[in-house]
Amino acid sequence: MIDRSADIDRPADAEYGVPRESLLMSIRSRLRVYFLGNDPTFWVAMVPALALSALLFTRSLTTNFIFDEQEALLANPYVNGKNLRFFDVIHRDFWGLPPERSVGSYRPLPNILWRGIASGLRGLHDLVARLTHSPSTYSLYPWVFHWCNVVLHAANGALLVCLVFHATKRRGLAWLAGAIFVGCAVLTEAVSGVVGTADVLGGLGALLALAALRLPLWGMPFGVAAGLLIGLTSKESAIVCVPLVPLAALWLAPYTHPARPLSLVRCVAAGVATVGVFVLYVECRKRWFPSPTPPELLVPLPDSAGRLAHGMRSFLLWFHQPSLPKDPLNNPLVKADLPYRVAGALRVYWRGLVQLLFPRTLSGDYSFPQEPIPERLVFPESLLGAVAMVIPPLAAVGLWIRAIVVRRRAAAPRLLVVVEGGASRETSTSAPPPYVAGVEQALLALALTWIVVSYFPHSNIPVLLPTVRAERFLYFPAIGSSVALAMYFAAFHAPRVHQRTRRLGTVFFAAFFLFQCVAARLHALDYADDLVFWRATKDAAPRSAKAHLNYAVMWGARGHLDTRLDESRIAVNLAPQWPMAHIYLGDTLCRLHRPDEAWPSYVQGFKLADNEPNLIALALQCLWDEGALHPHQDELLELADQRPETWLDFLAKDIVNNGTEHGGVNPKYRPRGYNEGPKE
């Protein structure tokens, strides 16, 4: 028998004979060994990175397609395999559109990934149908596509851990950088939204290109080229790697290859690789995807234009970026003069940097008038944005010079005093190889430069983008900011720092990291479904007309037309020149069987968008269904005659002449319904 009498005086929290205090110490020691006992490898770092990524960003299993996911997946003929072969991906844009209908995004790799997932789901459905002898009911599941983002984001975090460690040889710093990056709350849109696959894959390509800098000199250019090719075919913004990767090779070579740095040689080799891949990518895209030249590039430059302007124009003509949409609702800066455009862009940049540090508010949309054209050129946020864009690169140069000085001092010969038989003498010797001397300065220089340069293509300064602001644009800058923040928090634990300061640093980091994680998790909950998403968006960005209108549509799809009416009116008040808001307000009134009240809103929408067939068809069909077209027929035809050779002219006359035959608008011109796939 086992004598249990000795357990009487044992603490009540003991477990299997081991006091809880000892058990906690054991867990702590095991965690310390895992994170600090051995050098981190990719797979060792991947385990906690995946756990954290899944904990923070996983969407509900019952989530549906939200916002752009409907166009990227449901309406994408390439993803669905609608009469398109696998290799047709090189002839389609991000949304599955051909060159003549493209909206400017050429990203083959995400489409290949999505098609592979869709094919796998289709095969699984067919297998289940055969096994259960039931008809196959194939459908796409957003959660499966989204989960790929979770895994890829974790992989990027693990890569960052390895990159920082191999440069600094500091395990704690490496883990800090990876944790801050994986838990960065402002990246929720990129990771929790399926469309963010392009950003996450682009980040993967950039990190792989950086990781390739550790390879021997003969293999490094090939690794850099492969990484950059992944980045460019995922997201156009990976173009930032063309200057940044060679710069990283120059600044980090003494630490990644301490025995034989050859910094300048490695920089040139990496530069040849990045430039070569970039040129190859552009030339292939121009041949495989011959989109029309953007009209603004065909306008002659003024006589006063300098060499810089002519050089930029020549580059853009060669680069041949497909024409980007220019909707003032999504990007009000398209109507701003260059100085005001820059001021607005600097304001957005500063607000993004604040979100990286303190993500108090996160939103899925920042369209008009949430981010309007600034009323003046100089104001606090434009000044702060300018300082944050100019100072970091300048500071980086100083840090790099400082790193060189520190490294040379560490390698300089030293005088040692040797005592022999009571007498002393001086002898000259050399210090051990300075593997990491100055690495903090060099790595911080790269991080600061990375933040500014990687954001610049998204800044609306060199090129106007379709969107004025999006949190997923910060995926690339977050790589640099995570390293900089990790170095800041690690400085609290430097060897000569007082114990009290160390504790204070630990508290600071815990508060910062906890706030980031909570903000990320709460924002990821906004992706439960489309209604929850747009409710959270209009609450976070209350001056976004698009957020209110989409929230209205979500309620309308669920039969709550009164709520749709209220939110549609808010959208019209916020953006009175937005035709969609007027048409959708009219559509709501029409569906409430109040077509006469709807007619003024329809008329205003027709005047603002006489060439938008989907909006016009939506309005005309509801009027037909409500039997209200005939009372307004003469006014409709008069409005159409005032706008000859427009969609309004065609559809108005077609429904009047052929409405009885088609039951309203000709079915082939009717808009695709909400949450539907592509029309046949």
Side-chain angles (χ1 to χ4, degrees):
M1 295 180 62
I2 300 176
D3 183 10
R4 297 289 187 184
S5 60
D7 291 339
I8 295 175
D9 297 328
R10 197 177 296 273
D13 60 358
E15 183 179 356
Y16 299 110
V18 179
R20 179 172 295 177
E21 183 178 352
S22 300
L23 183 63
L24 292 175
M25 290 180 64
S26 176
I27 294 174
R28 180 181 177 183
S29 63
R30 287 177 182 272
L31 289 175
R32 186 176 182 83
V33 168
Y34 187 91
F35 288 104
L36 301 176
N38 297 289
D39 296 345
T41 63
F42 175 80
W43 292 112
V44 168
M46 184 65 178
V47 174
L50 182 57
L52 181 61
S53 182
L55 177 66
L56 298 183
F57 302 111
T58 301
R59 280 164 64 167
S60 169
L61 287 171
T62 59
T63 183
N64 58 4
F65 293 99
I66 298 172
F67 195 25
D68 287 344
E69 295 172 359
Q70 297 182 27
E71 297 298 324
L73 298 173
L74 288 178
N76 190 325
Y78 178 80
V79 172
N80 292 311
K82 297 285 185 178
N83 303 318
L84 292 176
R85 301 167 300 172
F86 177 81
F87 288 104
D88 285 339
V89 67
I90 62 175
H91 305 302
R92 295 281 167 158
D93 72 357
F94 185 56
W95 312 98
L97 300 175
E100 62 274 10
R101 293 173 52 204
S102 175
V103 293
S105 301
Y106 184 73
R107 304 164 187 171
L109 195 55
N111 271 327
I112 292 173
L113 176 63
W114 290 339
R115 177 157 175 157
I117 296 173
S119 299
L121 289 173
R122 188 181 296 108
L124 182 61
H125 271 277
D126 293 342
L127 177 62
V128 172
R130 287 197 299 269
L131 294 176
T132 59
H133 304 288
S134 61
S136 176
T137 55
Y138 168 69
S139 62
L140 297 178
Y141 294 103
W143 190 89
V144 181
F145 293 87
H146 149 71
W147 182 249
C148 288
N149 285 14
V150 174
V151 176
L152 289 170
H153 182 58
N156 288 342
L159 277 172
L160 188 60
V161 170
C162 297
L163 287 170
V164 174
F165 172 74
H166 288 302
T168 65
K169 311 301 185 290
R170 294 174 58 183
R171 298 167 185 168
L173 177 63
W175 284 110
L176 274 177
I180 292 172
F181 177 73
V182 174
C184 186
V186 79
L187 304 184
T188 305
E189 181 186 11
V191 184
S192 293
V194 177
V195 177
T197 299
D199 301 89
V200 180
L201 275 174
L204 176 65
L207 288 166
L208 287 173
L210 289 174
L213 297 178
R214 293 184 54 240
L215 297 174
L217 184 57
W218 64 267
M220 180 265 287
F222 299 101
V224 167
L228 182 55
L229 189 60
I230 292 173
L232 287 173
T233 53
S234 301
K235 187 77 183 280
E236 300 87 341
S237 53
I239 188 178
V240 301
C241 293
V242 175
L244 284 174
V245 172
L247 189 67
L250 177 67
W251 288 357
L252 298 183
Y255 313 105
T256 56
H257 299 83
R260 196 165 178 235
L262 299 175
S263 300
L264 189 57
V265 175
R266 294 182 189 279
C267 174
V268 172
V272 170
T274 56
V275 172
V277 168
F278 176 61
V279 171
L280 176 65
Y281 160 78
V282 172
E283 292 297 334
C284 289
R285 175 172 55 75
K286 288 163 65 176
R287 285 163 175 76
W288 295 338
F289 195 75
S291 59
T293 302
E296 61 271 17
L297 295 182
L298 299 177
V299 178
L301 290 171
D303 296 336
S304 59
R307 292 184 179 180
L308 181 61
H310 283 282
M312 187 65 179
R313 171 62 62 87
S314 299
F315 171 79
L316 291 175
L317 285 171
W318 169 79
F319 185 62
H320 201 76
Q321 168 71 37
S323 185
L324 299 172
K326 290 179 174 55
D327 183 359
L329 181 85
N330 290 319
N331 189 351
L333 297 181
V334 300
K335 289 192 171 183
D337 295 334
L338 181 60
Y340 285 90
R341 169 177 141 193
V342 172
L346 292 174
R347 177 193 62 202
V348 171
Y349 174 56
W350 174 252
R351 291 178 177 179
L353 292 180
V354 172
Q355 283 184 308
L356 282 170
L357 298 174
F358 186 65
R360 184 179 63 86
T361 302
L362 297 171
S363 173
D365 178 75
Y366 293 95
S367 57
F368 181 83
Q370 188 69 32
E371 290 286 356
I373 300 172
E375 296 179 356
R376 56 186 186 275
L377 293 177
V378 180
F379 52 97
E381 286 179 309
S382 68
L383 287 175
L384 290 170
V387 170
M389 189 165 283
V390 173
I391 296 300
L394 297 178
V397 175
L399 286 167
W400 175 49
I401 295 173
R402 175 63 179 166
I404 295 174
V405 173
V406 171
R407 191 169 65 251
R408 288 183 176 177
R409 285 180 180 175
R414 300 179 181 179
L415 292 177
L416 298 181
V417 178
V418 180
V419 180
E420 295 179 352
S424 63
R425 63 182 179 86
E426 293 183 348
T427 181
S428 177
T429 185
S430 295
Y435 291 108
V436 292
V439 68
E440 290 87 356
Q441 291 85 351
L443 189 60
L444 182 58
L446 180 62
L448 293 176
T449 307
W450 186 280
I451 294 170
V452 176
V453 175
S454 65
Y455 180 80
F456 192 69
H458 289 134
S459 66
N460 279 293
I461 294 176
V463 177
L464 277 166
L465 300 180
T467 305
V468 66
R469 178 181 175 189
E471 289 163 7
R472 65 181 181 274
F473 291 170
L474 295 170
Y475 198 90
F476 273 72
I479 297 173
S481 67
S482 298
V483 174
L485 286 169
M487 298 182 71
Y488 168 76
F489 288 115
F492 284 95
H493 293 267
R496 297 182 180 180
V497 173
H498 192 275
Q499 186 66 25
R500 183 179 299 175
T501 305
R502 292 190 179 192
R503 293 196 189 98
L504 185 63
T506 302
V507 172
F508 281 170
F509 173 73
F512 168 82
F513 190 63
L514 180 63
F515 186 81
Q516 291 278 345
C517 290
V518 171
R521 182 62 260 172
L522 291 177
H523 192 32
L525 292 175
D526 296 340
Y527 289 78
D529 59 49
D530 46 14
L531 179 63
V532 173
F533 175 82
W534 286 112
R535 179 193 292 127
T537 301
K538 64 99 177 176
D539 290 341
R543 291 188 55 76
S544 168
K546 181 190 287 187
H548 284 281
L549 191 64
N550 277 285
Y551 182 57
V553 172
M554 297 309 107
W555 275 117
R558 291 162 172 82
H560 296 266
L561 293 178
D562 290 336
T563 304
R564 179 182 175 182
L565 181 61
D566 293 338
E567 293 293 329
S568 296
R569 283 175 171 157
I570 294 174
V572 169
N573 290 333
L574 287 170
Q577 297 301 312
W578 187 22
M580 182 179 289
H582 290 282
I583 294 292
Y584 274 48
L585 175 58
D587 187 68
T588 307
L589 290 167
C590 185
R591 292 172 187 270
L592 285 168
H593 310 296
R594 297 154 60 180
D596 291 336
E597 294 180 53
W599 178 248
S601 295
Y602 281 152
V603 170
Q604 185 65 19
F606 292 158
K607 291 179 179 178
L608 292 171
D610 55 13
N611 249 334
E612 293 288 341
N614 287 338
L615 293 178
I616 298 167
L618 180 71
L620 295 179
Q621 186 62 42
C622 189
L623 289 171
W624 179 273
D625 292 339
E626 291 294 319
L629 184 68
H630 183 71
H632 300 286
Q633 178 175 309
D634 293 340
E635 188 176 354
L636 175 64
L637 291 176
E638 182 181 354
L639 195 63
D641 288 337
Q642 294 172 1
R643 291 164 171 77
E645 299 183 1
T646 63
W647 274 105
L648 176 62
D649 181 40
F650 172 78
L651 290 175
K653 294 175 180 177
D654 185 68
I655 196 173
V656 169
N657 297 324
N658 306 307
T660 303
E661 177 186 350
H662 296 143
V665 177
N666 190 322
K668 68 180 179 179
Y669 300 122
R670 295 178 191 177
R672 179 169 55 88
Y674 177 73
N675 224 22
E676 290 182 358
K679 296 177 66 176
E680 298 294 341

